[in-house]
Amino acid sequence: GAMGGSASLIPRDLLGEYQELTFLSKQEILLAYKRFSELLPKEERESACSARVPKSQIVTLPELRANPFQHRICHVFSTSETGDDSMSFEDFLDMLSVFSDSATSDIKSHYAFRIFDFDDDGTLDRKDLEQLVNCLTGQGEESRLSSAEMEQLIQNILEESDIDRDGTINLSEFQHVVSRSPDFASSFKIVL
């Protein structure tokens, strides 16, 4: 029937490989495949395993539409060589795997760090923290922090997190902070 038709489009050996390489179950992988191919134009669905979906489509997923970091998420998981942040099915699976309940909190925090590192330089500096706070508080005029509040908040974050006092937060400092916040892993998730 039409319902079960799409599942068979992932070759069985690939399906096994995806299960080994991700934290996803077979069911989750098949569902992801279905969701991914629905983002493609009809004529490309047959070859969804080798197609790329533009970022403009990925961010329409309800799970990402409300996420303030949707653009960064696409950027971090995209393997596009042109830098357009489009996603292949494997990129999409990687993303879902990291955001799944089964991913370890080490893996989640590693990717959270990359997502929050807006300038991709390997550390979270004041500018990254400012963008992070702006994403979290929303861009609306009424919700924006004053520059004094922002300065105070960033000061507090660095107080808490910048162990070597170099003015930036590196991955291990970030992971240390995350390990002390029990609700981090549960908030860092996307369930299809």
Side-chain angles (χ1 to χ4, degrees):
M3 288 299 291
S6 66
S8 55
L9 290 175
I10 302 184
R12 184 162 293 148
D13 51 340
L14 258 186
L15 189 57
E17 202 175 308
Y18 290 153
Q19 274 175 270
E20 277 172 41
L21 294 173
T22 66
F23 294 100
L24 303 170
S25 68
K26 184 174 167 183
Q27 276 64 36
E28 289 171 318
I29 292 168
L30 293 172
L31 177 60
Y33 186 81
K34 181 173 181 295
R35 294 292 297 277
F36 184 81
S37 44
E38 283 164 0
L39 295 172
L40 289 165
K42 288 215 162 34
E43 61 279 6
E44 286 182 39
R45 287 184 189 168
E46 284 300 308
S47 54
C49 269
S50 55
R52 298 195 73 87
V53 168
K55 171 167 123 174
S56 56
Q57 282 295 101
I58 298 282
V59 298
T60 63
L61 288 166
E63 300 77 16
L64 277 178
R65 203 181 302 148
N67 191 309
F69 302 103
Q70 45 171 249
H71 297 291
R72 288 296 304 159
I73 291 170
C74 290
H75 179 71
V76 164
F77 288 97
S78 169
T79 54
S80 164
E81 312 213 323
T82 62
D84 63 0
D85 296 349
S86 62
M87 281 196 186
S88 65
F89 178 57
E90 296 188 2
D91 296 343
F92 187 65
L93 272 190
D94 276 339
M95 174 182 81
L96 292 177
S97 174
V98 167
F99 282 98
S100 77
D101 272 334
S102 324
T104 64
S105 112
D106 253 12
I107 290 209
K108 285 180 184 289
S109 57
H110 173 83
Y111 279 95
F113 182 82
R114 289 185 54 194
I115 289 165
F116 299 160
D117 178 14
F118 289 86
D119 56 9
D120 298 315
D121 69 350
T123 64
L124 305 187
D125 55 24
R126 296 182 99 85
K127 239 188 161 57
D128 292 322
L129 295 175
E130 197 168 316
Q131 280 182 268
L132 173 55
V133 173
N134 280 337
C135 276
L136 290 172
T137 54
Q139 302 296 331
E141 282 305 309
E142 65 292 338
S143 57
R144 288 204 84 125
L145 298 184
S146 70
S147 48
E149 291 169 319
M150 177 68 85
E151 185 48 45
Q152 187 55 59
L153 183 54
I154 288 178
Q155 220 28 66
N156 295 349
I157 296 173
L158 289 170
E159 276 306 291
E160 284 289 294
S161 325
D162 178 18
I163 298 163
D164 63 13
R165 295 278 170 254
D166 68 348
T168 64
I169 302 168
N170 61 34
L171 177 60
S172 61
E173 289 169 337
F174 181 76
Q175 288 185 314
H176 179 68
V177 174
V178 167
S179 68
R180 297 193 318 233
S181 45
D183 53 349
F184 171 78
S186 59
S187 65
F188 198 70
K189 86 177 172 198
I190 294 177
V191 179
L192 281 185

